[in-house]
Amino acid sequence: MWSFNNLNNFLGNDFLNISEPFTEEYTCYPVSFIGKDDMENGNKIILPQTALNALARRHISWPMLFEVSNPYTEKRTHSGVLEFISDEGTCHMPYWMMQQLCLKEGDIVRVTSVSLPKGTFVKLKPCSKDFMELSNHRTVLETALRNYATLTIGDNIVIHYLGKTYEIKIVDLKPAFACTIIETDVEVEFEEPFEKVQYVEEVIPVEESKFKGKGQRTDGKACKNLKKEKVRQKVIENPEPWKEKLVGGVRTKCAEYEDLLKKGRIPGIIGKLIERKP
């Protein structure tokens, strides 16, 4: 005779547990692996067909929302689902979500169905002032959030605009820690953006070795001396020229010069050049 356990095993483990939330672990990969690069502009994931069957048996209404977590670090975020076309046992998500959860390609991710309230207020903090300098930053934000099903406090959502990537931190949400923003009006408030910290490389001079001895090789041979850098020394003829300065800047007496004058060695000064007699 069959029991309820036999019926549950025959129809599937989820047949009699429709009141419990859907929870499953998958091997996660980026959406770029299946050519869905445009999904990087949002926070929706792709699940296998068996996930849709399990969700349908639980009568979970649309939109289907999930808590996505790293089972080893307890990091978590929330998302919606775009399609049920991934291979069995795999889940594809935007790469920025994998970074939020500290996941790499091929790691295990846990997906749990949840019900979230509609958001009414969100406080955002851009990670750089570049986003706030856009003349139409509110319009850019409103357009980008259409691709997001949920928001979670602490997440850094990513916005791509005109070839640039902007990160914005979710600082606060109302009425809950995580909310859905599908078909709802949300009041938005901005905090001052994070300041960019500029790092300056400091060059630390290498101190001269205080060891003045000589090395010795284990085989007894003499060590080769390292070539020392030659330092050119500038020769200064008179290191103390101020001691020979002239009074008034003009030399008034010179014994050698006067001796030449007396001997007639300097013509045009005293008479003519006189030849020396032998």
Side-chain angles (χ1 to χ4, degrees):
M1 180 180 294
W2 277 30
S3 63
F4 283 104
N5 291 333
N6 298 128
L7 182 62
N8 189 31
N9 294 333
F10 178 75
L11 296 177
N13 293 330
D14 298 323
F15 182 76
L16 297 179
N17 297 327
I18 58 176
S19 61
E20 296 181 1
F22 167 83
T23 301
E24 193 63 67
E25 292 185 351
Y26 298 99
T27 304
C28 69
Y29 296 99
V31 291
S32 59
F33 279 29
I34 55 174
K36 298 282 187 178
D37 294 2
D38 56 330
M39 289 181 61
E40 290 290 343
N41 301 316
N43 68 339
K44 296 178 181 178
I45 61 177
I46 295 181
L47 295 173
Q49 180 66 36
T50 53
L52 177 60
N53 298 336
L55 290 165
R57 286 194 293 268
R58 287 171 169 78
H59 304 291
I60 295 179
S61 61
W62 197 266
M64 297 180 179
L65 305 176
F66 303 92
E67 178 188 275
V68 185
S69 61
N70 185 331
Y72 300 104
T73 63
E74 299 302 325
K75 289 183 176 294
R76 60 174 177 160
T77 185
H78 297 81
S79 73
V81 59
L82 183 65
E83 296 176 296
F84 294 88
I85 60 172
S86 66
D87 294 335
E88 184 60 35
T90 62
C91 169
H92 295 272
M93 64 180 64
Y95 186 69
W96 71 265
M97 287 182 61
M98 295 180 61
Q99 291 180 316
Q100 292 276 339
L101 301 174
C102 299
L103 294 172
K104 297 182 296 184
E105 295 88 344
D107 285 351
I108 300 299
V109 63
R110 181 178 296 153
V111 179
T112 304
S113 61
V114 293
S115 178
L116 299 177
K118 289 188 176 183
T120 58
F121 171 82
V122 58
K123 182 181 291 186
L124 306 174
K125 188 180 185 72
C127 293
S128 69
K129 62 180 181 180
D130 297 341
F131 181 78
M132 298 300 294
E133 291 177 352
L134 295 175
S135 59
N136 58 339
H137 63 271
R138 285 190 174 271
T139 304
V140 173
L141 176 66
E142 181 180 352
T143 303
L145 290 182
R146 293 174 184 172
N147 298 318
Y148 285 81
T150 63
L151 295 178
T152 306
I153 293 178
D155 278 2
N156 281 5
I157 63 173
V158 177
I159 295 177
H160 300 276
Y161 180 69
L162 295 180
K164 293 185 177 181
T165 301
Y166 303 94
E167 289 190 27
I168 300 179
K169 187 178 184 63
I170 310 299
V171 178
D172 192 17
L173 275 172
K174 291 181 181 179
F177 173 80
C179 300
T180 177
I181 56 173
I182 298 176
E183 297 180 356
T184 182
D185 295 329
V186 181
E187 180 184 354
V188 178
E189 180 180 322
F190 286 95
E191 278 193 0
E192 288 295 324
F194 290 101
E195 293 292 337
K196 290 185 177 180
V197 180
Q198 297 182 353
Y199 296 92
V200 180
E201 294 184 358
E202 182 181 0
V203 179
I204 302 176
V206 179
E207 295 183 359
E208 184 180 357
S209 176
K210 297 181 180 180
F211 177 71
K212 303 299 182 180
K214 296 182 179 180
Q216 185 176 359
R217 292 175 48 164
T218 57
D219 56 4
K221 296 182 180 180
C223 295
K224 294 182 179 180
N225 294 329
L226 298 176
K227 294 183 179 179
K228 296 183 178 180
E229 185 179 358
K230 294 183 179 180
V231 180
R232 292 183 178 180
Q233 295 182 354
K234 186 177 180 180
V235 179
I236 302 177
E237 296 181 355
N238 188 2
E240 298 178 335
W242 58 88
K243 291 185 178 181
E244 296 184 0
K245 66 179 182 178
L246 305 179
V247 179
V250 178
R251 187 182 293 274
T252 56
K253 293 183 179 181
C254 180
E256 293 82 0
Y257 183 78
E258 292 180 355
D259 185 57
L260 291 175
L261 288 177
K262 292 178 180 179
K263 294 180 179 179
R265 295 292 183 180
I266 301 179
I269 301 298
I270 299 178
K272 297 180 180 179
L273 181 61
I274 302 174
E275 295 182 2
R276 180 180 297 178
K277 295 181 180 180

